[in-house]
Amino acid sequence: MEKQQQTGQKRKKVDIPIAKKLQIIDDLSTKEVMVKHNISSRSTVTSIRQSKQKIREQASQSHHAIGKRMRFKMPRYPKVDEALFVWFLQKRQQHVPVSQEMLQVQAQTFFNKIVGEGEFGSRGYIEKFIQQHEIRVLEITGEKLSSNVAAIEGYVQNFSKKVRDKQLSPCQIFNADESGLFFKNTPTSTYVDKGATSAPGRKVAKERVTFMPCSNMDGSLKLPLMLIGKSQKPRALKHVRQLPVYYKASKNAWMTQFLFKNWFFDEFVPRVTKFLEDSNLPVEAVLVLDNCSAHFTGGDLQTRDGKIWTEFLPPNTTAIVQPMDQNIIQMIKLRYRKTLMQEMMGRPGDFHENVKNINIKDAMFWVAEAWDSVPSDAIRKSWNMLYDPVQIEDEDDEPLSVLREKLQNISKKLLENRAVDEEDEDCEVLKDDDIVDSVLNPGKDINSYNLADSTLSAAEDVNCSIDTVNHEGAPDDDDTPVVTDEAAINGLNLVLRYAEENGWSINTQFRLRQMRLDIFEKTAGARLSH
């Protein structure tokens, strides 16, 4: 300061990119920070660190497009800007080409709905919008997937560098992805004898749920599946105390921004935090996501301290690099359908009636069991296209050539077969009015029920008892009797006898006896209390 006064010169103002400010906040030594980032003034570093909470909050509100921005400047109409960005992401997810003129028209539409009638959406505004969100212009090509190989290579290298810089271990790197499931779906083809000319069948049941598996890279933490149904309070769950899944509901059984944001803060962050603390690891983790519009919830998908955050994959690369799409979701569906067929063929009565009587409780337990049976080794292998810790340690160029060959082979296969699985329509498609409602009422979900009083998770209890057999769509019977302790003991005695006579494993018999013992202890405790 004295030196500045002697020379009579003011200290030159230095503009520091926001991304670099976030690095400065995390670095420990002030002296090392000054050398590393070529900062001459200690007060600059101090000022940045004193404003760390504000910088992190503003960075989280800027989605994932911080880039080389020097400072935050809110648009004049932030709600219009947010609605336009949600609309843009949704159109690109649907592979709809978006031009500057389309953005101008849509900006005017949202302005009229949110602010009121008036002129809006000039070329200058759109240019600033494009710059702020780091939107690029690309030529549309028929070879969409193969042309993305180079972009994927660059992203994979950048992701690997970021993981190394953060010193994250495989158990701190997570991925989640949604998929639809027709939970009453029976085979659509059948074997017939040589004389048959057709295969008559029945109408395919299209009752649908969405499930979302989430796991870390080494499979050491598999979170309970998130399951989304249409019913806020399914009749089949009327007396169920605990579920094997994290259950929510929306009108179309789709993932929504509201549901995903709640899952991230209420389920993902607490479970990951506890897991890392129990493992004596730093509470720091990244969740890798695709560009489904439901995942963009205002850009604040990170903890307040920024230690648990989200990373988005490049557009149109899900089938190639997203771990959960590398056979994990397919394995869940195949195991689910195997259980479905075993149940339908094992239950007494007509096959089609058995299918009709499947309810959402059955689906929950079967799909949760299918997810639980996915081996950790399969999960580890699913990350090979995005991040392989063994190959990354090798400085040779061979891993990159191997990656390029894998990507080209997968791209060819995908181009040969572009059929879209109807089940995989898992994210909501918002209309203009829905987008406006979501930005004006961020705490409200326009496509979901208010589940504050009825959400069931894998760890929550509901004040009721085990359900008797009932199926979705059956008349609601409020007089359904609760299973008594005596009836449960009699039922277990019968199952135990069946297990003994049919040579079931000793471990299975032990579990059945332990269940019976638990009921004995409950009834004994009840008698003592009286």
Side-chain angles (χ1 to χ4, degrees):
M1 191 69 179
E2 291 177 1
K3 189 175 181 180
Q4 291 174 11
Q5 289 175 351
Q6 289 173 3
T7 58
Q9 296 179 350
K10 292 184 177 179
R11 183 165 60 87
K12 184 179 178 181
K13 183 178 180 181
V14 179
D15 284 330
I16 300 175
I18 294 163
K20 186 175 285 188
K21 288 180 180 179
L22 292 171
Q23 294 176 12
I24 290 172
I25 290 171
D26 293 331
D27 286 339
L28 298 177
S29 170
T30 300
K31 187 176 292 186
E32 290 177 1
V33 167
M34 294 173 66
V35 173
K36 179 180 177 181
H37 299 286
N38 195 24
I39 299 173
S40 58
S41 173
R42 181 182 292 268
S43 62
T44 300
V45 178
T46 304
S47 175
I48 291 173
R49 287 178 169 171
Q50 288 175 345
S51 306
K52 63 181 181 180
Q53 185 172 348
K54 180 180 178 182
I55 292 172
R56 280 175 173 157
E57 288 178 356
Q58 290 177 330
S60 70
Q61 294 169 3
S62 298
H63 305 274
H64 58 293
I66 297 176
K68 299 181 180 179
R69 293 175 62 185
M70 296 293 181
R71 58 184 58 86
F72 294 102
K73 185 177 180 181
M74 293 294 291
R76 185 176 179 185
Y77 301 103
K79 295 298 183 183
V80 176
D81 188 273
E82 184 179 348
L84 184 61
F85 188 56
V86 171
W87 177 87
F88 167 76
L89 291 174
Q90 186 168 271
K91 291 302 178 186
R92 287 310 305 140
Q93 185 188 355
Q94 299 167 347
H95 310 309
V96 175
V98 179
S99 66
Q100 188 177 60
E101 291 74 21
M102 292 172 68
L103 288 170
Q104 286 181 270
V105 171
Q106 198 61 36
Q108 179 68 68
T109 299
F110 285 133
F111 182 85
N112 292 342
K113 290 178 178 293
I114 295 173
V115 181
E117 295 296 327
E119 293 293 325
F120 189 75
S122 64
R123 295 182 69 88
Y125 166 77
I126 297 301
E127 288 173 1
K128 289 180 180 178
F129 173 84
I130 290 171
Q131 183 180 9
Q132 177 185 357
H133 295 285
E134 294 189 357
I135 296 171
R136 300 180 299 144
V137 177
L138 293 177
E139 291 295 322
I140 299 174
T141 63
E143 301 294 314
K144 169 178 67 70
L145 292 172
S146 59
S147 67
N148 275 340
V149 171
I152 293 172
E153 288 179 356
Y155 178 83
V156 168
Q157 293 182 62
N158 291 334
F159 179 77
S160 300
K161 182 179 183 301
K162 185 177 292 187
V163 168
R164 291 198 306 272
D165 291 345
K166 293 281 188 179
Q167 296 183 341
L168 298 178
S169 64
C171 61
Q172 294 173 284
I173 307 171
F174 291 79
N175 177 236
D177 189 30
E178 306 91 344
S179 183
L181 177 69
F182 294 128
F183 64 89
K184 293 187 179 183
N185 206 4
T186 53
T188 55
S189 59
T190 182
Y191 289 109
V192 297
D193 64 84
K194 64 180 181 180
T197 57
S198 63
R202 300 199 180 187
K203 186 177 179 181
V204 177
K206 295 212 171 182
E207 294 180 62
R208 185 181 182 282
V209 294
T210 295
F211 68 92
M212 183 178 74
C214 177
S215 172
N216 56 5
M217 185 186 295
D218 61 4
S220 56
L221 177 60
K222 293 163 64 177
L223 277 73
L225 281 180
M226 181 177 186
L227 191 78
I228 304 171
K230 292 183 179 180
S231 176
Q232 180 184 7
K233 295 181 179 180
R235 295 186 183 97
L237 303 180
K238 180 179 176 183
H239 295 307
V240 177
R241 285 183 177 271
Q242 188 173 334
L243 296 180
V245 298
Y246 180 84
Y247 181 73
K248 294 282 186 175
S250 69
K251 292 181 180 178
N252 297 311
W254 282 343
M255 177 65 79
T256 68
Q257 292 179 355
F258 181 83
L259 294 182
F260 188 80
K261 184 175 181 179
N262 283 350
W263 172 84
F264 180 81
F265 287 107
D266 298 343
E267 184 77 358
F268 179 77
V269 171
R271 288 185 180 273
V272 171
T273 299
K274 184 178 186 305
F275 168 77
L276 295 176
E277 288 175 345
D278 292 345
S279 304
N280 294 319
L281 290 169
V283 181
E284 189 168 3
V286 59
L287 174 63
V288 179
L289 300 168
D290 61 21
N291 283 267
C292 168
S293 59
H295 297 161
F296 291 89
T297 62
D300 52 353
L301 276 182
Q302 64 177 20
T303 52
R304 187 174 294 275
D305 60 5
K307 296 296 185 181
I308 299 179
W309 77 99
T310 52
E311 178 81 18
F312 290 92
L313 294 167
N316 307 325
T317 60
T318 294
I320 300 177
V321 297
Q322 171 138 265
M324 287 299 166
D325 269 4
Q326 310 309 310
N327 288 330
I328 301 301
I329 288 176
Q330 184 69 6
M331 286 175 69
I332 294 173
K333 289 186 176 182
L334 289 174
R335 291 167 192 249
Y336 174 88
R337 284 166 181 156
K338 180 180 178 181
T339 302
L340 171 64
M341 290 299 100
Q342 287 174 334
E343 287 275 346
M344 296 305 96
M345 295 173 67
R347 291 181 181 182
D350 178 70
F351 177 86
H352 295 288
E353 281 299 314
N354 289 340
V355 172
K356 182 180 177 182
N357 290 334
I358 297 171
N359 56 45
I360 196 168
K361 183 174 68 175
D362 295 326
M364 283 180 182
F365 280 89
W366 295 342
V367 75
E369 185 180 11
W371 168 231
D372 187 61
S373 66
V374 174
S376 298
D377 187 55
I379 294 175
R380 283 193 295 271
K381 290 179 181 178
S382 72
W383 284 84
N384 287 347
M385 293 302 299
L386 180 59
Y387 179 77
D388 188 344
V390 177
Q391 287 188 358
I392 294 302
E393 292 174 0
D394 187 1
E395 297 299 329
D396 193 271
D397 288 336
E398 184 180 358
L400 188 58
S401 63
V402 172
L403 173 65
R404 183 181 290 108
E405 184 179 353
K406 285 182 179 178
L407 293 173
Q408 289 172 344
N409 290 337
I410 294 175
S411 297
K412 289 177 183 177
K413 291 178 182 179
L414 292 172
L415 286 167
E416 290 170 1
N417 183 14
R418 294 192 176 186
V420 177
D421 187 351
E422 191 178 349
E423 284 188 333
D424 289 334
E425 297 175 3
D426 44 50
C427 290
E428 61 179 334
V429 179
L430 299 178
K431 299 178 181 177
D432 289 352
D433 288 338
D434 295 336
I435 294 175
V436 170
D437 197 8
S438 69
V439 300
L440 292 179
N441 303 287
K444 171 189 174 186
D445 186 9
I446 45 88
N447 265 341
S448 301
Y449 299 99
N450 180 6
L451 301 179
D453 298 325
S454 60
T455 300
L456 296 170
S457 77
E460 289 180 327
D461 283 344
V462 181
N463 187 22
C464 44
S465 181
I466 288 294
D467 190 16
T468 54
V469 177
N470 192 4
H471 62 83
E472 196 77 349
D476 191 9
D477 184 3
D478 292 334
D479 297 327
T480 302
V482 174
V483 178
T484 64
D485 295 332
E486 182 181 0
I489 292 170
N490 290 336
L492 281 170
N493 286 335
L494 188 62
V495 175
L496 269 169
R497 179 181 168 187
Y498 180 86
E500 293 164 355
E501 293 175 354
N502 287 272
W504 285 14
S505 71
I506 296 299
N507 286 336
T508 300
Q509 295 185 44
F510 281 161
R511 286 196 295 270
L512 289 170
R513 291 178 181 278
Q514 183 60 50
M515 291 169 63
R516 186 177 60 178
L517 181 60
D518 290 341
I519 301 175
F520 288 153
E521 290 177 350
K522 175 192 170 188
T523 55
R527 285 196 297 269
L528 289 174
S529 64
H530 290 295

